[in-house]
Every structure is written in C-alpha cells, then in structure tokens.
Amino acid sequence: MQTHADVPPRDSAYPVATSPGGTSAALTLAALGVVYGDIGTSPLYALKESFNPAHGVVLNTPSVLGILSLIVWTLTLVVTLKYIVLVLRAEYAGEGGILALQALARRALANDKKSPVQRGLLGGVMLVGLLGATMFYGDAFITPAISVLSAIEGIEVVTPAFKPYVVPITLAIIVALFSVQRFGTAKVGRLFGPVMIVWFSVLGLLGVVHISAQPQVLQALNPLWAARYVLQNPGISFAVLGSVFLAVTGAEALYADMGHFGVKAVRRAWLFFAMPGLILNYFGQGALLLADPTALENPLYRMVPAWAVIPMVILAAMATVIASQATISGAYSMTVQAISLGYLPRMKTVQTSSDARGQVYMPGINWAMLVGVLLLVAGFGSSSNLSAAYGIAISVTMLCTTLLITVVALRLWHWPAWLVVPVTALMLVIDGVFVLSNAAKIFQGGWLSISIALVLMIIMGTWARAVRMRERSLVQAGLTLQEFVPSLLANAPHRVQGTAVFLTSSPDLVPHALLHNLKHNQVLHQRVIVLHMVASDQPRVAPAQRLQVTSLAPNFWVVSARSGFMEHASVHDVIKLFGYQHGVDVTDMNTTYFLSRSSAPKRGLQGFWPGQRALFTLMQRNANRAADFYQLPDNRTVEFGRTLGG
C-alpha cells in the first residue's frame, strides 16, 4: 500500500478487484505451492494428536471410525463449505484475509443511520476484525515451528539416535526459508508447486494402499460415526476435538493468501489436488491403526516401507517449509492491509510481481517472524509441545471470520436471511465448539497465542487511536484551497525565485507544510504546486493518464498524480513530467519539496496511559518516512513537524 505523509485514498471509493496474471495451470500450481502447504502437512500430526493417550482415547474400531469421520467432515464443512464456497466470495480489491473482510463489513454498515446501536455494531465489527487479525499472527508464528519440527521428527523413526539433531536441523531449515522470501511469492510458489503435487500424490497413494488392505475404514464417510462417537464419549470428545481441529489449521491462510493467486486458482487447487490427497491419507492412517495399533507412535511415517522413511522425511521437510510459506505470505498480506486501514505505521513494502498487486515482501515483518519462530523452536523443542498452542489462535480467527461474513452476506450482498442464518449458525456452532475445546489447552501452551494476540491488539489499537486523533486534528484545522488561495494572493507575502512542491493527503485542503512555511519563513515561491499522490490498482500508469492538473491561480496548481503499484512513487519524476507537459521550470536547483510530519505531543496523548505513549512514540519514530518512500532529495526537502492533537 502506498502512503503519503498522511494516507491517500485509492482511485475510487469501491476498489475493483484485479486478477493475478499468468495461465490457469500456472496459478493453480503456484497456489498449491503457497496456499495449501499449511493444511497439507496436517497429516503429520493431526491424527496422531487426536489419539493422544492423554485424552483418554481407547484405540479400537469405533474410535478410529468416529475420529476419522470427525476429521473428514470437519474438512468438508469448514474448508470446502465455509471457505471455498462462501468466504472466498468476500474479496476486497482482489484481496482476502480477516482485515479485508472487516473492511467489507464496515462498508456494508456505512450507509446506515448512526444510531447508538449502529455505532456499537460498527465498533463490534472493528473489534472482531482486529481480534481475528492478531490471532492470525499467532498462527503465523507457530506454523513454521510446529510444521518443520513435525517433519524432522520423522528421522527418529529410523533410529532414536537422531533425536538430538531434530532441533538444530529445524532451526537451519527455518533460517533458510526466511532468507529466500525476498525473491517473492510467485517465484517461491513456482518452486514449491511441483513439490506439493508430489506431496499430495504420495499422501493419496499411501492412503490408497492401506485403504485397500482395510476397506472397512471407508465406513467413516458416514457422518453418523462422528455423531455416535461424540454422543457416546462426551468428555473424551471435547478433548479430541481440539486435536481434530489441527486437520483444518491453514484454512484461514488460504483466504489471507487469496490476493496472491486469485479465487479460481485457490479453489481448483483445493478441489482437485489438496482435498483428495488429504482425505485419502487420513483414511489410510486410520486403516493402518486398525491393522497395527502400535503405529500410533508416528502413523504417517509408519505408512511407508522402511527403505522409504528417509526420502519421506526429506519430502515432508520440503512440504513443511511450504506450509510455513502459506502463513508467511498471509502475514505480509495482513500487514499491508493493516497499514492501509490505519492499524500499523508505514513499513517498507517491496512489490514482487508485475501482475498481482497482492504479492509483496516486507523485510521488517520477515525478520521479526524469523526471530520469533526460532525462539519457539528452541523453547518448546517438539511438535507435541507446540500443538497445545496451535489450535486456539486459528480457531478464534475462524470464529471472527464467521461473524464478519454474516454481516457481509446480509448487509452488503443482500442475501436472504432464510439462507444466511441457518448456514452461518451451523458455522458458528462448529467454530464455537472448536474454540472451547482448544481453550481447554490454554495452560498447556495456548497462553502463547493469546499473549501474541494481546500484544498486537495493544500495538494496533494504540496506533489506530492515534491516527484517528490526527485525522480529527487535520479536519478541524483544515482550510479549503478554493477560499485560501485568492486571499493569499490578494495579500501576498514576499515572493522568492523557484518552485515549491507541497505534498498533501487531500487535494482540497491547504497543506500544513504550506501554512508552516508562510508562518515561519513568510515567503511564497514564484511557482507553487500542491501535489497529491494517488495509489492505483494498475501495475503501471501511462504518462498521458498520470496527471490531473487544476490551476487555482497563475503559477498555482493542484496536481493529482497516479502511480501504479509496480512503479516507484517518485515525486521527482512526477514533477519533471508536470514541468514537461505544462512548460513550467522545475529544474532540480530551482525546486524545493515541502511536507509535514505529525508527532506525539511532548506531554503525552490525551487519554493514553504512559505505556501507550511510549509505544506510539517508538512506532512513530521507526515508521518509514514519507520523504524516503517518495524518494525526495534530502538537500532540497523541507519537513515541518506538527504536534498530534495540538
């Protein structure tokens, strides 16, 4: 997202979705490589954890068929019905994710009368979206740790002597993964796509082999087995469901990563590759447990012959690296949206694709995640220890998604209530059960996800509140250019040679930098340009379509400049183009750039507690400067400060 000294609006109030470029097959392959890595590696641990002896599960035929039925119908209802069929419809300018969904829900309520109930509903939508986003970040930290650990733990099947090497190997793989992120999602996806085709094919093939030996396992396709198991084992089932939920972790990532590849590619990859491979493998693992209960130690690796264990570990390690990619890419997308919506300060964002606006790389987020993931691996040491922390984060995010999609379906899409209410009520029941079952594991590790979410809630809430204060201050102090310019020129201050360019977030209001320059320097340049940079959804904008120029007076212009998301937002280039088209002298030595930068008041922000003031000051100090973002020359840039709320 491009931002100004303040945040500029997009080209239109209702952004138009843009489709990622590339052939259908190439996009589907890339989507399979990036989007489905997380959920695709769940067979490494989901069924094993569901039969964890700590739950009190008795490994017999009814329990195998019951738990298998729970897994397959959870995949069907949560992933296929909820996300693939319904949630992926909720795209915002081609983007997905909980914050994009929150923006749609807010838009759905925007035209309602602002009654106390309405304001409360809007506030609730914002809170739900923020909670879901922060919980998603918790998942993004835990997924690389648990996925890679679970794969490398397979070498213990060969010999327990390898156990001391599991954590060091995992750490090395994770460092390598985060180091290649700068090359971009599309390139990483093209590399990972073929690997995931092999992975899902192997999962399916292993499943078919073991199902053919124990075909009675297919009885679990009947949902009555799931219902019967829950009714006959209510206490045990509550604990088991927390582990069954591990089979669908990654579903939220496919929505967050939607903008990277488009809806059609994400759907095709699930229906034709990921879902068949997963279901066949889960049934194969169940068939193996029916034949050999001792295989519970590590059912996926026990499915393969002894000679193939090491190759399977290598393939699984590659697949779990890809699983990590899904949440890393989702974290980038989520952060871009958070910046655009005013929840986070401006950060360095590198566009990595000329076709898809959603494909970005964020160095700050990348290295922060690397440090966090390394600490998790070193601190927890095994996938079983991390599994308790895993489910709570994503189950809460899924619950938030259901609440928001209900608002969007009823108020924005205007779907009939008789259709929306039963479907979303079913989803809310499922999500609620999973949240409660995972909440029981808070003291076993679930506290980690909650702690991450709480810290991020404080960070985002603090920044968002400060941004609202800034916006109110700007509006209250704002003067319209149409009224200001005639009065200024009627009583013009001393005029000096050259051209002054004042950056602004609104083409209708007087830039604060212009007011500060008049107040402190008491001069006005011969030529004045008020420049408004507008971010476009197009990758590139033709020079003929780049500028919209309004002359308010002789030698006084308002220029709105559009730039594509693949182009560097260079103010210098924009001004050169303006000078060429309009015959204005904007030579380098004759042109000075002015902008304003808001800062927190020295005595603190009204209503902020000391910790928030310190936090906001830290974020503000480390936010990416507008002058750097727009590539302004340091020796010809003047930046005025102003006090937030002052």
Side-chain angles (χ1 to χ4, degrees):
M1 292 288 182
Q2 294 179 346
T3 56
H4 202 301
D6 297 302
V7 181
R10 305 201 59 77
D11 284 67
S12 64
Y14 303 97
V16 179
T18 55
S19 299
T23 65
S24 296
L27 285 173
T28 301
L29 179 65
L32 190 68
V34 173
V35 175
Y36 290 105
D38 189 357
I39 197 170
T41 53
S42 295
L44 283 164
Y45 45 80
L47 190 69
K48 179 177 72 172
E49 291 300 324
S50 297
F51 283 95
N52 193 321
H55 300 330
V57 180
V58 177
L59 208 166
N60 54 28
T61 298
S63 65
V64 169
L65 295 180
I67 291 175
L68 272 179
S69 188
L70 284 171
I71 289 176
V72 69
W73 284 101
T74 297
L75 284 168
T76 302
L77 294 175
V78 173
V79 183
T80 306
L81 176 61
K82 177 179 175 178
Y83 282 93
I84 295 296
V85 175
L86 180 59
V87 175
L88 288 186
R89 296 174 181 267
E91 55 178 321
Y92 187 74
E95 294 287 342
I98 189 73
L99 287 179
L101 186 58
Q102 181 213 55
L104 286 175
R106 289 168 60 187
R107 196 173 91 187
L109 301 171
N111 295 327
D112 291 350
K113 295 180 180 180
K114 298 299 184 290
S115 64
V117 174
Q118 173 63 17
R119 287 194 295 269
L121 187 56
L122 279 170
V125 163
M126 294 181 66
L127 181 61
V128 167
L130 193 58
L131 175 62
T134 56
M135 283 292 183
F136 178 84
Y137 278 109
D139 173 61
F141 275 95
I142 298 172
T143 293
I146 190 174
S147 298
V148 180
L149 268 173
S150 63
I152 304 305
E153 285 169 351
I155 63 176
E156 298 178 27
V157 174
V158 180
T159 170
F162 286 145
K163 186 172 183 178
Y165 302 102
V166 169
V167 170
I169 293 173
T170 300
L171 294 174
I173 291 173
I174 288 171
V175 170
L177 169 64
F178 281 93
S179 297
V180 302
Q181 293 302 310
R182 66 183 185 275
F183 297 113
T185 305
K187 293 179 181 178
V188 172
R190 284 194 292 270
L191 173 66
F192 287 165
V195 175
M196 291 309 294
I197 287 181
V198 174
W199 172 253
F200 284 117
S201 299
V202 170
L203 288 183
L205 179 61
L206 289 173
V208 169
V209 169
H210 288 274
I211 291 170
S212 63
Q214 300 284 337
Q216 69 268 28
V217 78
L218 293 176
Q219 296 178 69
L221 287 170
N222 187 341
L224 291 178
W225 280 102
R228 186 181 299 119
Y229 184 81
V230 171
L231 293 175
Q232 292 178 352
N233 306 276
I236 294 175
S237 297
F238 189 74
V240 167
L241 284 170
S243 298
V244 166
F245 183 76
L246 296 174
V248 295
T249 53
E252 190 67 28
L254 72 89
Y255 178 45
D257 285 332
M258 179 180 69
H260 294 248
F261 309 103
V263 175
K264 291 182 179 179
V266 172
R267 284 176 172 159
R268 284 193 297 264
W270 171 252
L271 294 173
F272 297 110
F273 292 98
M275 186 179 182
L278 289 173
I279 290 180
L280 285 172
N281 191 262
Y282 281 123
F283 276 105
Q285 289 189 41
L288 175 62
L289 292 180
L290 288 177
D292 181 12
T294 65
L296 182 60
E297 176 189 5
N298 205 318
L300 179 62
Y301 285 111
R302 291 287 295 274
M303 294 177 77
V304 302
W307 61 266
V309 172
I310 293 298
M312 187 65 180
V313 169
I314 295 172
L315 178 60
M318 297 172 70
T320 53
V321 165
I322 297 165
S324 306
Q325 182 65 50
T327 51
I328 294 170
S329 302
Y332 295 158
S333 299
M334 190 77 72
T335 304
V336 168
Q337 294 164 14
I339 293 171
S340 176
L341 294 170
Y343 289 122
L344 288 173
R346 184 171 48 239
M347 300 180 192
K348 184 177 180 181
T349 304
V350 180
Q351 187 69 40
T352 60
S353 170
S354 60
D355 299 313
R357 184 176 172 273
Q359 294 185 14
V360 297
Y361 165 64
M362 306 191 77
I365 297 298
N366 188 69
W367 303 122
M369 288 184 65
L370 172 59
V371 172
V373 173
L374 292 179
L375 290 175
L376 288 179
V377 172
F380 282 81
S382 73
S383 59
S384 293
N385 292 339
L386 271 169
S387 65
Y390 198 29
I392 186 67
I394 204 64
S395 62
V396 172
T397 304
M398 287 184 175
L399 178 62
C400 294
T401 296
T402 300
L403 293 171
L404 293 175
I405 199 69
T406 303
V407 175
V408 171
L410 288 173
R411 305 298 288 273
L412 186 64
W413 299 339
H414 303 292
W415 287 6
W418 62 264
L419 173 63
V420 174
V421 172
V423 173
T424 56
L426 174 62
M427 293 178 183
L428 285 172
V429 170
I430 295 173
D431 292 336
V433 169
F434 282 129
V435 168
L436 292 175
S437 61
N438 281 287
K441 300 185 291 185
I442 287 178
F443 296 105
Q444 285 74 45
W447 58 267
L448 176 65
S449 299
I450 295 175
S451 299
I452 293 173
L454 180 60
V455 170
L456 290 173
M457 284 279 282
I458 293 173
I459 291 173
M460 291 184 174
T462 298
W463 184 262
R465 185 179 174 190
V467 167
R468 288 196 298 270
M469 290 180 64
R470 179 175 62 184
E471 291 174 349
R472 286 196 299 267
S473 177
L474 291 173
V475 171
Q476 291 169 1
L479 299 173
T480 65
L481 281 166
Q482 292 288 349
E483 296 175 346
F484 177 76
V485 172
S487 63
L488 172 66
L489 298 181
N491 301 280
H494 177 66
R495 306 297 291 265
V496 295
Q497 296 291 325
T499 301
V501 179
F502 295 92
L503 276 70
T504 182
S505 60
S506 171
D508 300 319
L509 298 179
V510 182
H512 281 277
L514 174 56
L515 294 175
H516 285 306
N517 188 49
L518 290 171
K519 177 180 178 181
H520 297 290
N521 298 326
Q522 300 180 10
V523 297
L524 186 68
H525 286 69
Q526 277 188 330
R527 294 170 295 277
V528 177
I529 301 171
V530 175
L531 179 61
H532 175 221
M533 299 293 288
V534 185
S536 173
D537 282 319
Q538 301 175 12
R540 293 178 178 84
V541 177
Q545 301 173 344
R546 189 175 301 278
L547 303 184
Q548 179 180 346
V549 180
T550 302
S551 178
L552 297 181
N555 293 326
F556 202 118
W557 302 271
V558 175
V559 178
S560 291
R562 300 173 66 238
S563 60
F565 64 81
M566 267 300 293
E567 298 173 310
H568 292 294
S570 171
V571 169
H572 179 262
D573 292 342
V574 167
I575 294 303
K576 284 180 62 178
L577 177 62
F578 166 79
Y580 173 77
Q581 292 181 347
H582 294 269
V584 179
D585 181 10
V586 289
T587 54
D588 289 347
M589 297 309 297
N590 267 346
T591 304
T592 305
Y593 300 93
F594 295 85
L595 53 86
S596 61
R597 181 180 178 88
S598 300
S599 61
K602 293 181 180 179
R603 295 188 179 181
L605 299 165
Q606 184 178 2
F608 279 40
W609 45 273
Q612 281 185 298
R613 290 196 293 270
L615 175 61
F616 176 71
T617 300
L618 178 65
M619 288 190 291
Q620 185 175 243
R621 185 182 301 123
N622 289 280
N624 199 20
R625 295 173 61 243
D628 294 334
F629 184 83
Y630 288 116
Q631 304 173 19
L632 299 179
D634 289 337
N635 61 343
R636 285 181 287 114
T637 300
V638 179
E639 188 170 10
F640 290 99
R642 69 183 299 266
T643 300
L644 186 65

